Amino acid sequence: MTSLNERRTHPTARRAAWTTAATLAAVLAAGVVATPAGAESTTRAAERAGRVDWASVVEPALNCPKPGPKAAWYVVRARVAAVADVTRDGKRETVVVSSCPSPTSSNPLIAFVYDGAGKPSAPRLLGKLGGNRYFKSLKVTTRGPLVNLTGKALSDQAPRCCPDLNVSQTYKWDGTKFRRTADKATRIS
């Protein structure tokens, strides 16, 4: 979508090219709410987000089972889905979407929110969003302090190949963590 980073643990693996900060800023500017006085600009926030190897940052938070040393399929992918001030502290947080790698099927997508006030070299995880659903596709939007997740997901009865739910969730920062304020699921016809 906006940026895709890969982290491969195999010794001969390569990393994917990153989206430039200017491109990331242009894409994110359309979906980000106006900046409060004194807050970091969209371009600067996007540049900060573009300099981070998000696949390496997200990997420990995913807590994936580790494969053997010759598992070339083990590639952690991460994409920046939104950059916005959802904690209302004047700094823009980065929402990154990722999932554990798998050699046979996909794992659920999770949205990770990282603090914009921290160092770009060591972003601090504020929350994992959407972990209660098995999202197969995930779109993230922000509006003020709200983070909205929408996508196709699997119910407990669905085979791993075929999402059978459209899910919409909303999260809000309460000062210490993100709380789910809405969770709606409808069957795909």
Side-chain angles (χ1 to χ4, degrees), residues 163-179:
D164 61 342
L165 299 173
N166 284 316
V167 175
S168 175
Q169 294 182 332
T170 302
Y171 291 83
K172 185 175 182 179
W173 180 253
D174 71 1
T176 58
K177 65 181 181 178
F178 283 93
R179 295 200 184 273

Side-chain angles (χ1 to χ4, degrees), residues 132-152:
N132 70 319
R133 297 286 187 170
Y134 200 112
F135 279 103
K136 294 289 279 184
S137 67
L138 188 56
K139 179 181 176 186
V140 178
T141 57
T142 61
R143 184 176 200 145
L146 303 178
V147 179
N148 301 298
L149 307 180
T150 55
K152 297 192 183 308

Side-chain angles (χ1 to χ4, degrees), residues 21 30 71 88 91 113 127 129 150 166:
R88 313 315 275 171
K91 301 286 184 180
V113 183
L129 313 181
T150 55
N166 284 316

Side-chain angles (χ1 to χ4, degrees), residues 43-174:
T43 303
R44 187 166 168 206
E47 287 172 355
R48 283 172 42 101
R51 289 191 305 252
V52 176
D53 178 1
W54 289 110
S56 294
V57 171
V58 168
E59 186 175 18
L62 282 168
N63 198 25
C64 303
K66 298 295 181 211
K70 295 185 181 192
W73 58 266
Y74 190 84
V75 179
V76 173
R77 291 180 174 85
R79 71 175 164 87
V80 172
V83 176
D85 182 11
V86 295
T87 61
R88 313 315 275 171
D89 65 354
K91 301 286 184 180
R92 294 181 185 268
E93 284 69 44
T94 303
V95 184
V96 180
V97 174
S98 188
S99 68
C100 286
S102 173
T104 57
S105 66
S106 63
N107 285 306
L109 294 167
I110 300 171
F112 298 89
V113 183
Y114 288 91
D115 191 0
K119 295 179 184 178
S121 60
R124 184 172 61 99
L125 179 64
L126 296 177
K128 294 181 184 183
L129 313 181
N132 70 319
R133 297 286 187 170
Y134 200 112
F135 279 103
K136 294 289 279 184
S137 67
L138 188 56
K139 179 181 176 186
V140 178
T141 57
T142 61
R143 184 176 200 145
L146 303 178
V147 179
N148 301 298
L149 307 180
T150 55
K152 297 192 183 308
L154 301 176
S155 70
D156 292 340
Q157 298 79 31
R160 290 263 171 116
C161 67
C162 310
D164 61 342
L165 299 173
N166 284 316
V167 175
S168 175
Q169 294 182 332
T170 302
Y171 291 83
K172 185 175 182 179
W173 180 253
D174 71 1

